[in-house]
């Protein structure tokens, strides 16, 4: 509930259960103490907010969401979760967002599972339950940095208009209770979207890679190599520094050629969907230029594997390297050694997890030492 208090600061107050005269009422799921989402209390609006929050990958997961939404439409919100009421005087965020969009909006708050970049994502619905906007709130220093980075990237994409990609646009940026808020246009990920197949994924990776231009560089003199070495050297953990440095040194020789381009940075299956208009891609907060071509494709497979592997998560890095030729083959480009690109990607994502503190969240594979150590041993002995 701490993040909710950031959205509705004093003198507003929170009370358990429904309160007559309250400014807003939410259904907290699964409970107020462990809330991952706060839905509007009206049955139809709560169902619509849930359905349009994210697009689960696969028929089974979407079926679960449809079943829960159906239950909410039937009034299950009155008997599941916890009712939370916002009471008291003072301006509320919903009013400010209504001004931005030019019509009254109802807010659903989604927090998702614990992770380093966790932040409130607000679904903004009109009174009929149509999604008219999405607002991301930089509730932590890391989230604030990422929210600002995504806004900059979306403005850039609006100018570039990459062919075949459908992306959100920035509607407005504001500050609420000292926190940055970026309001974006919604994508029709539920009504128009379908799972992206290999051909669509590869096409999207190619388009994204070319956004900032592509180049071939000698490894030793590439800006990426210099940046990678510098970031590794800045880590406080000496053993982790040594592991990463040895992996990079073994994977890349000074005269090796590296193909560089842009990457989305988090191109997971749940951040994209196919449509008649092109591939819808969202959550652009990790976008970067000048990284090895193929990172996005590797990320698309690696991050979901961390959740699937369970007790075998320690083998995640090794498995990705072993599959690297198969995974990167559809790009059809001379990338040099696919295994070397995979090792560079794994060091890059290990740096991200380490700097962000992903290990402290308890998510599977969040501590990169879990899978980077076995990769180091495998690579050195290979």
């Amino acid at each position: 509930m701490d993040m909710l208090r950031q959205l509705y600061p004093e003198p507003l107050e929170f009370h358990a259960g429904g309160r007559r005269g309250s400014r807003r009422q939410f259904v907290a799921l699964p409970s107020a103490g462990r809330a991952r989402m706060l839905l509007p209390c009206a049955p139809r609006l709560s169902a619509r907010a849930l359905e349009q929050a994210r697009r689960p990958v696969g028929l089974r997961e979407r079926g679960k969401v449809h079943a829960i939404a159906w239950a909410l439409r039937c009034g299950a919100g009155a008997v599941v979760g916890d009712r939370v009421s916002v009471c008291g005087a003072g301006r509320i965020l919903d009013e400010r967002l209504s001004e931005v969009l030019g019509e009254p909006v109802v807010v659903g708050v989604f927090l998702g599972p614990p992770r380093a970049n966790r932040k409130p994502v607000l679904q903004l619905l009109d009174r009929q339950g149509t999604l008219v906007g999405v607002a991301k709130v930089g509730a932590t220093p890391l989230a604030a940095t990422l929210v600002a980075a995504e806004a900059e990237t979306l403005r850039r994409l609006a100018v570039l208009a990459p062919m075949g990609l459908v992306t959100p646009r920035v509607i407005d940026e504001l500050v609420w209770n000292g926190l940055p808020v970026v309001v974006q246009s919604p994508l029709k990920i539920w009504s128009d979207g379908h799972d992206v197949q290999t051909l669509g994924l590869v096409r999207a990776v190619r388009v994204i890679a070319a956004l900032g231009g592509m180049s071939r560089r000698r490894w030793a003199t590439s800006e990426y190599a210099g940046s990678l070495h510098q970031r590794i050297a800045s880590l406080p953990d000496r053993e982790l520094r040594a592991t990463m440095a040895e992996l990079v040194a073994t994977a890349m020789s000074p005269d090796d050629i590296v193909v560089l381009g842009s990457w989305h940075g988090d191109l997971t299956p749940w951040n994209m969907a196919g449509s008649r208009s092109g591939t819808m891609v969202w959550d652009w907060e990790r976008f970067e230029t000048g990284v090895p071509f193929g990172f996005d494709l590797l990320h698309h497979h690696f991050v979901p594997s961390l959740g699937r592997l369970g007790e075998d998560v320690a083998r995640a890095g090794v498995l990705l390297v072993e599959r690297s030729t198969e995974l990167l083959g559809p790009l059809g480009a001379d990338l040099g050694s696919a295994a070397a690109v995979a090792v560079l990607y794994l060091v890059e994502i290990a740096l991200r997890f380490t700097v962000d503190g992903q290990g402290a969240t308890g998510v599977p594979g969040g501590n990169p030492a879990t899978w980077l150590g076995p990769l180091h041993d495998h690579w050195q002995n290979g």
Side-chain angles (χ1 to χ4, degrees):
M1 296 299 290
D2 289 342
M3 284 191 176
L4 191 60
R5 293 187 183 280
Q6 290 179 298
L7 302 180
Y8 297 94
E10 294 181 346
L12 295 168
E13 300 175 348
F14 295 93
H15 296 280
R19 285 288 184 101
R20 182 172 297 179
S22 61
R23 306 287 298 282
R24 287 291 183 270
Q25 290 188 21
F26 295 100
V27 176
L29 297 175
S31 67
R34 297 182 296 111
R36 291 195 177 186
M37 62 185 74
L38 295 110
L39 304 175
C41 284
R44 182 168 56 86
L45 292 178
S46 64
R48 292 291 290 159
L50 176 65
E51 287 174 334
Q52 298 176 96
R54 296 190 72 79
R55 186 177 183 277
V57 178
L59 291 175
R60 183 178 179 182
E61 291 304 312
R62 285 197 292 279
K64 290 180 181 179
V65 173
H66 280 305
I68 297 171
W70 177 83
L72 289 170
R73 282 191 176 89
C74 294
V79 294
V80 300
D82 293 330
R83 188 69 62 93
V84 177
S85 298
V86 181
C87 306
R91 187 167 166 81
I92 61 174
L93 178 57
D94 309 42
E95 295 168 342
R96 180 69 182 91
L97 294 172
S98 296
E99 292 175 355
V100 167
L101 293 171
E103 62 180 309
V105 297
V106 179
V107 173
V109 183
F110 293 83
L111 302 175
R115 51 187 175 153
N117 62 335
R118 193 185 197 194
K119 57 188 169 297
V121 178
L122 313 184
Q123 302 298 110
L124 312 179
L125 310 174
D126 66 15
R127 289 175 175 172
Q128 287 70 49
T130 301
L131 187 67
V132 294
V134 176
K136 295 188 176 184
V137 183
T140 66
L142 174 59
T145 298
L146 295 175
V147 163
E150 182 175 27
E152 181 179 351
T153 297
L154 292 180
R155 286 193 295 268
R156 182 176 181 181
L157 291 171
V159 174
L160 294 174
M163 184 175 298
L165 294 187
V166 181
T167 62
R169 61 180 177 82
V170 176
I171 296 175
D172 201 358
E173 295 179 73
L174 55 125
V175 176
W176 179 261
N177 191 30
L179 304 175
V181 180
V182 176
V183 184
Q184 304 176 11
S185 63
L187 298 179
K188 297 180 179 180
I189 59 176
W190 268 95
S191 59
D192 294 352
H194 56 77
D195 291 348
V196 178
Q197 303 304 315
T198 299
L199 183 61
L201 170 63
V202 170
R203 187 182 298 119
V205 168
R206 286 182 167 281
V207 172
I208 293 169
L211 286 175
M214 300 184 67
S215 62
R216 295 171 60 86
R217 293 285 186 270
R218 180 172 171 268
W219 173 252
T221 57
S222 69
E223 290 185 8
Y224 180 77
S227 167
L228 187 65
H229 289 309
Q230 185 176 23
R231 287 179 289 139
I232 291 173
S234 69
L235 294 177
D237 186 323
R238 182 167 58 183
E239 183 176 352
L240 188 59
R241 284 200 313 267
T243 298
M244 290 183 178
E246 289 174 13
L247 278 168
V248 173
T250 307
M252 301 297 295
S253 298
D255 291 330
D256 285 344
I257 300 299
V258 59
V259 180
L260 301 173
S262 300
W263 76 316
H264 174 278
D266 197 15
L267 198 66
T268 53
W270 49 85
N271 282 340
M272 61 190 309
S275 75
R276 293 179 181 178
S277 303
T279 302
M280 295 185 284
V281 181
W282 55 95
D283 283 1
W284 288 83
E285 56 196 31
R286 300 283 190 174
F287 177 80
E288 288 184 280
T289 60
V291 304
F293 183 38
F295 272 17
D296 266 332
L297 203 50
L298 295 167
H299 189 83
H300 187 85
H301 294 279
F302 179 70
V303 172
S305 78
L306 295 178
R308 287 196 307 265
L309 287 172
E311 294 182 358
D312 290 331
V313 71
R315 299 188 63 237
V318 173
L319 292 174
L320 187 76
V321 171
E322 289 179 343
R323 293 189 62 201
S324 58
T325 300
E326 168 199 348
L327 295 176
L328 294 178
L331 291 177
D334 180 13
L335 303 176
S337 167
V341 174
V343 169
L344 292 178
Y345 161 75
L346 290 166
V347 171
E348 180 68 46
I349 208 66
L351 277 165
R352 178 190 296 180
F353 283 8
T354 302
V355 173
D356 291 354
Q358 186 80 333
T361 67
V363 299
N367 179 1
T370 304
W371 41 266
L372 203 63
L375 171 66
H376 174 268
D377 297 340
H378 174 84
W379 191 253
Q380 293 294 99
N381 297 328

